[in-house]
Amino acid sequence: MPKADTSNTMKTLPIKRPSARLLLLEARAGLETAQLALTHRALVRQLPRGDGHAVMVLPGFGATDTPTLPLRRILQALGYQVYGWDQGRNLGMRSALRAALSARLQNLSDRHGAVTLIGWSLGGVFAREMARHAPGQVRRVITLGSPISGDPDANNLMPLFSLINRGKVSKTDPQSFARRIPAPPVPCTALYSKTDGIVAWHCCLEAGPGNVENIQVHGSHMGLIVNRQAITVIAQRLAQPVPA
């Protein structure tokens, strides 16, 4: 079963990026995808039904809406109004993307009421910032292996960022990162795996204060979006009422 950590205790020692061994273990994502494909119908029968509110799922860096489709189909089967982010490939935040996400959130909240935002990896960083800037439009935020605290460089994403952006070197702005660490003023659930090969797991924790929780699941970073334990937690949290 997933392990909940409500202490919000952060590591004080320097945080290192995941080891080469953990990075190689990211190949498990293929097995996690296959496992979900074989068992998703049985999983849906076990999960709580939804109340029909809107959910938007944001992909991780380098990904499109396609990898989030299995999760979105399961949530739709549970009765939610589920949407992708509809912004193509996630290559990092740009001003045009920020405006587009703000407009999409506004549109969905006008149609359905407050929206739950689920963000995988970098998508979770975006989801938290959307909730920070428009808390009245967001019901709750759920992050999956998202680099939201700790050390902004304790991950194996930098080489991928450089590759996708034609060799451009990413420079971290410590002050901007520090401003993003406090949770937005909505319920926040952070899912993480201690065998994450992309982002150091310590950096995936909500540090508080606020209505936050950290829940450990077992699996790869790339497979978190199809991880059965993660999907179970997501369905349970979506079914919970939120404070007025």
Side-chain angles (χ1 to χ4, degrees), residues 19-162:
S19 66
R21 182 183 68 85
L22 287 178
L23 184 58
L24 289 173
L25 283 176
E26 284 298 309
R28 294 172 294 166
L31 296 176
E32 292 169 294
T33 301
Q35 183 185 37
L36 182 64
L38 292 172
T39 62
H40 75 278
R41 291 181 181 176
L43 180 62
V44 168
R45 290 195 293 268
Q46 299 169 11
L47 298 177
R49 299 291 301 179
D51 61 3
H53 78 263
V55 179
M56 182 164 69
V57 184
L58 291 82
F61 180 70
T64 65
D65 280 328
T66 300
T68 72
L69 188 57
L71 170 62
R72 288 187 283 125
R73 284 175 172 167
I74 288 174
L75 298 182
Q76 190 165 4
L78 294 176
Y80 298 99
Q81 302 293 322
V82 189
Y83 300 87
W85 82 330
D86 198 29
Q87 302 300 319
R89 191 172 301 278
N90 186 347
L91 298 178
M93 183 56 73
R94 274 84 166 167
S95 58
L97 174 60
R98 184 179 293 108
L101 289 177
S102 177
R104 184 159 178 77
L105 178 60
Q106 178 74 62
N107 177 267
L108 292 179
S109 64
D110 287 346
R111 292 165 58 189
H112 302 289
V115 180
T116 290
L117 300 176
I118 301 173
W120 172 35
S121 195
L122 183 60
V125 177
F126 295 173
R128 291 171 87 252
E129 293 310 297
M130 292 165 68
R132 194 184 314 280
H133 291 289
Q137 299 172 11
V138 179
R139 179 184 175 101
R140 69 168 67 242
V141 171
I142 301 174
T143 57
L144 307 174
S146 298
I148 57 178
S149 61
D151 185 341
D153 294 323
N155 60 73
N156 287 313
L157 284 170
M158 295 307 177
L160 179 60
F161 181 93
S162 179

Side-chain angles (χ1 to χ4, degrees), residues 6 13 39 67-68 85 94 110 147 152 173 197 205 236 238:
T6 57
L13 296 176
T39 62
T68 72
W85 82 330
R94 274 84 166 167
D110 287 346
D173 181 352
L205 305 180
Q236 291 171 346
L238 292 181

Side-chain angles (χ1 to χ4, degrees), residues 2 26 28-30 32-33 36 57-58 60 67-68 70-71 74 118-122 142-147 190-201 204 215-234:
E26 284 298 309
R28 294 172 294 166
E32 292 169 294
T33 301
L36 182 64
V57 184
L58 291 82
T68 72
L71 170 62
I74 288 174
I118 301 173
W120 172 35
S121 195
L122 183 60
I142 301 174
T143 57
L144 307 174
S146 298
L191 277 64
Y192 69 97
S193 168
K194 288 190 174 181
T195 58
D196 190 318
I198 303 297
V199 180
W201 68 268
C204 301
I215 300 180
Q216 180 185 347
V217 298
H218 302 284
S220 68
H221 179 91
M222 301 304 292
L224 279 173
I225 198 68
V226 293
N227 184 290
R228 285 172 52 88
Q229 287 185 333
I231 292 172
T232 298
V233 173
I234 289 170

